Amino acid sequence: GAVVSQHPSWVICKSGTSVKIECRSLDFQATTMFWYRQFPKQSLMLMATSNEGSKATYEQGVEKDKFLINHASLTLSTLTVTSAHPEDSSFYICSASPNYNNNEQFFGPGTRLTVL
Amino acid sequence: SQQGEEDPQALSIQEGENATMNCSYKTSINNLQWYRQNSGRGLVHLILIRSNEREKHSGRLRVTLDTSKKSSSLLITASRAADTASYFCATGRYSSASKIIFGSGTRLSIRP
């Protein structure tokens, strides 16, 4: 099956620093990638939709200058949490979609971000 | 924002029993998917049911979809300890290509 990886799997950083998370589709090309955030014991909240070669589409309430998304190739999207603060601590999950319109997504294992 | 709600929020059953989880949503959909998530891990895709389908089976899983009631159910038969996880439904809308919105989830615990 289609495999999506994320790196790093966990990261601890100081408040005010920026953190970059990578999402890669390993055995398929992803037209679209998605970034989700999940707080403990809660559901996944879609943050943004990332299309290769174009600007990401952010969900309402998500600051685009805070969460920078780059989808430079069909196999790689990155999420940079800029000037991270403790309230940004969360589980960040990406997914990749190989087809445009059938809603099929393959999820990465997630990245645990802890901001001190 | 989340598309829908799942109930129950938490479910604890004895191993061997059947587990039923329900999902309700608000807008018209193209398809509905169910995912499982073990604690602190990524999501595992279980099954996808399209809006023109009413029931689908996969192993011990049975999913139903009632578009008139905007609801779906996931039945896990003969539950096992390894089924302990959170289960989420996610809907794909006509107007948003590839975008899916997750429900609130059900935490399932299987007692040995």
Side-chain angles (χ1 to χ4, degrees):
Chain A
V3 179
V4 175
S5 69
Q6 276 184 245
H7 177 80
S9 56
W10 60 269
V11 57
I12 301 173
C13 69
K14 292 182 179 179
S15 186
T17 60
S18 294
V19 174
K20 180 185 283 188
I21 303 170
E22 291 186 351
C23 177
R24 292 181 186 274
S25 56
L26 299 185
D27 50 4
F28 67 97
Q29 292 185 328
T31 307
T32 309
M33 288 184 171
F34 303 86
W35 287 96
Y36 298 85
R37 181 167 54 183
Q38 185 180 32
F39 292 108
K41 296 187 178 181
Q42 293 189 23
S43 186
L44 280 75
M45 300 297 291
L46 179 64
M47 299 175 66
T49 302
S50 168
N51 292 297
E52 186 265 339
S54 63
K55 290 183 179 180
T57 302
Y58 289 82
E59 294 298 302
Q60 192 173 9
V62 178
E63 301 174 58
K64 61 180 181 180
D65 295 328
K66 171 77 173 175
F67 299 98
L68 300 178
I69 291 172
N70 183 276
H71 193 156
S73 76
L74 286 172
T75 59
L76 173 64
S77 176
T78 60
L79 168 69
T80 301
V81 183
T82 62
S83 186
H85 292 284
E87 58 266 29
D88 298 323
S89 297
S90 188
F91 194 52
Y92 291 87
I93 305 175
C94 74
S95 69
S97 180
N99 294 308
Y100 183 69
N101 239 338
N102 71 353
N103 295 124
E104 185 173 16
Q105 295 185 26
F106 300 95
F107 283 80
T111 296
R112 175 80 54 195
L113 171 63
T114 302
V115 184
L116 303 176
Chain B
S1 60
Q2 286 175 269
Q3 158 76 301
E5 296 296 322
E6 292 177 59
D7 76 272
Q9 289 187 341
L11 177 63
S12 179
I13 61 173
Q14 201 73 33
E15 190 169 19
E17 294 180 340
N18 295 342
T20 300
M21 290 159 272
N22 302 296
C23 168
S24 60
Y25 56 91
K26 299 173 185 174
T27 65
S28 62
I29 62 171
N30 176 277
N31 61 74
L32 186 144
Q33 304 176 55
W34 285 91
Y35 290 86
R36 183 184 74 223
Q37 184 183 36
N38 290 87
S39 182
R41 303 289 186 90
L43 273 72
V44 174
H45 183 264
L46 296 177
I47 201 165
L48 181 151
I49 186 166
R50 301 195 186 282
S51 59
N52 60 353
E53 298 176 307
R54 291 295 167 259
E55 188 171 312
K56 209 163 183 180
H57 297 255
S58 177
R60 293 185 296 115
L61 307 179
R62 172 177 169 256
V63 167
T64 63
L65 178 64
D66 187 334
T67 53
S68 65
K69 295 181 180 178
K70 292 187 169 58
S71 67
S72 174
S73 68
L74 170 66
L75 168 67
I76 303 175
T77 60
S79 63
R80 305 168 182 169
D83 295 329
T84 295
S86 291
Y87 291 81
F88 297 94
C89 67
T91 52
R93 307 182 192 182
Y94 286 108
S95 61
S96 302
S98 291
K99 176 177 170 177
I100 62 175
I101 303 296
F102 282 84
S104 53
T106 294
R107 290 193 304 279
L108 176 65
S109 298
I110 307 299
R111 302 190 302 272

